Amino acid sequence: MKRALITGITGQDGSYLADLLLEKGYEVHGIIRRASTFNTARIDHLYADPHVNGVRLFLHYGDLSDSVNLVKLLYNLKPDEIYHLAAQSHVRVSFDIPEYTSDVTGVGTIRILEAMRETGIKPKFYQASSSEMFGKVQDVPQTETTRFWPRSPYGVAKVFAYWATVNYRESYGLCASNGILFNHESPRRGETFVTRKITRAVAAIKHGLQKELFLGNLEARRDWGYAPEYVEGMWRILQHDEGDDFVLATNETHTVREFAEAAFAHVDLDWKEFVKYDDRYERPAEVELLIGDPAKAKRILDWEPKVRFNELVRIMVDADMQTLSKRTNQEHLGKLP
């Protein structure tokens, strides 16, 4: 039985990756931060049947700012694969807390790589790199050889983590890989990210619980894919015999305006009646266009996305509509406070 360690297991990608690895028969370990409240909602379903998943899923308290704890964890667990997904991952927020973002998102990767070197273990290592590293794009579409030009503290930190991974691969012979993932969404996406913010608002407006949706730059163009497919890509990267770097993307780009239009249209509403502009959601330096070419991943890993833009929007809107309908019904029956 293979043993995998996931940092960021309670996030969107970490939860889908845990699903996938458990289905494949792995023993899965996740690092979670000790906080005053639990934040395990995305993986709680994995404990529903302990005979299926619970006996192979283990959570450990840890933090990317605590290198001693990371060394202890790796020494004790000796995982076959490490998926490093944890980060302060909100781009707009990274402008407000740049030092924290740099420490956790950037230096945190060095701490894990150093822990691997210090313990002497040789797991395959996956670094969650980001299309935000391309920032002010120098090539269209972007590939593994496109020059980085980050436009946020988050992007800068991810570039640091990317090159740290390459450096440890070349310096110490680690099987360390970067997955340069373009935007990937799902019903488990955080509620402050623009796609989920839109689909939740659509559901609330359709149910008469919200009147307006405030957004920033409507013309920013993104390459949006479906998160469960992208975590399969992560797994495929670590099944490769040697460390390498791969772009995972759809090679399509759409504006935030198009996303909003498609989401509202799916429930027979006109987005223009509800969407309002608010400059508070603008970034100090905007990334105007992201579109990735996944040809290398297709050629070497046999990976390619199947869920396209319109289907992705429908999946997310339907999920938020269903969630809100269920909650409304429970409140009506007096089952919720």
Side-chain angles (χ1 to χ4, degrees), residues 5-11 14-15 18 28-44 47 57-66 69-70 73 77 86:
L5 175 64
I6 304 172
T7 72
I9 193 171
T10 59
S15 65
V28 176
H29 295 258
I31 298 177
I32 62 172
R33 286 179 296 169
R34 184 68 178 94
S36 58
T37 58
F38 290 108
N39 182 30
T40 58
R42 293 186 180 94
I43 57 173
D44 285 346
Y47 290 97
L57 176 63
F58 306 89
L59 301 181
H60 309 269
Y61 289 124
D63 196 291
L64 293 177
S65 63
D66 186 349
N69 178 256
L70 292 173
L73 273 174
L77 295 178

Side-chain angles (χ1 to χ4, degrees), residues 129-136 147-151 154-163 178-180 290:
S129 291
S130 168
S131 59
E132 288 287 334
M133 300 188 304
F134 295 120
K136 188 176 180 180
R147 178 188 172 193
F148 300 138
W149 194 319
R151 301 268 283 172
Y154 170 78
V156 171
K158 281 294 187 181
V159 170
F160 178 95
Y162 172 94
W163 284 117
N178 284 289
I180 308 174
L290 291 174

Side-chain angles (χ1 to χ4, degrees), residues 244-315:
D244 204 345
D245 310 313
F246 295 91
V247 163
L248 301 186
T250 69
N251 206 18
E252 293 181 13
T253 188
H254 298 272
T255 63
V256 174
R257 183 192 301 273
E258 288 177 84
F259 197 104
E261 182 177 7
F264 278 94
H266 185 53
V267 295
D268 300 316
L269 294 176
D270 183 353
W271 71 277
K272 294 178 183 177
E273 297 180 15
F274 305 99
V275 175
K276 310 295 181 184
Y277 172 75
D278 190 331
D279 61 6
R280 291 179 300 172
Y281 299 112
E282 292 274 7
R283 303 179 187 178
E286 182 59 85
V287 174
E288 299 293 346
L289 168 66
L290 291 174
I291 177 171
D293 182 356
K296 180 179 176 181
K298 168 63 175 175
R299 184 177 72 254
I300 296 176
L301 307 176
D302 194 28
W303 180 90
E304 60 181 334
K306 297 179 176 62
V307 174
R308 294 296 178 170
F309 178 75
N310 288 322
E311 184 179 356
L312 171 65
V313 175
R314 290 194 297 270
I315 289 171

Side-chain angles (χ1 to χ4, degrees), residues 155-260:
V156 171
K158 281 294 187 181
V159 170
F160 178 95
Y162 172 94
W163 284 117
T165 301
V166 172
N167 183 256
Y168 273 67
R169 181 170 73 212
E170 295 177 348
S171 300
Y172 303 112
L174 301 182
C175 187
S177 298
N178 284 289
I180 308 174
L181 273 58
F182 281 63
N183 294 67
H184 45 290
E185 318 296 319
S186 77
R188 297 185 193 174
R189 186 57 141 158
E191 295 173 358
T192 60
F193 290 83
V194 67
T195 52
R196 186 75 195 290
K197 182 179 177 181
I198 291 171
T199 60
R200 287 185 74 246
V202 166
I205 290 170
K206 186 65 175 179
H207 281 82
L209 302 175
Q210 184 172 326
K211 294 182 179 180
E212 296 174 317
L213 168 63
F214 293 95
L215 297 174
N217 182 9
L218 294 175
E219 303 310 319
R221 305 185 68 88
R222 294 293 184 269
D223 184 324
W224 277 304
Y226 186 41
E229 295 182 340
Y230 283 54
V231 299
E232 183 187 351
M234 297 177 189
W235 176 78
R236 288 182 181 235
I237 288 172
L238 289 202
Q239 307 321 298
H240 193 45
D241 291 335
E242 56 189 25
D244 204 345
D245 310 313
F246 295 91
V247 163
L248 301 186
T250 69
N251 206 18
E252 293 181 13
T253 188
H254 298 272
T255 63
V256 174
R257 183 192 301 273
E258 288 177 84
F259 197 104

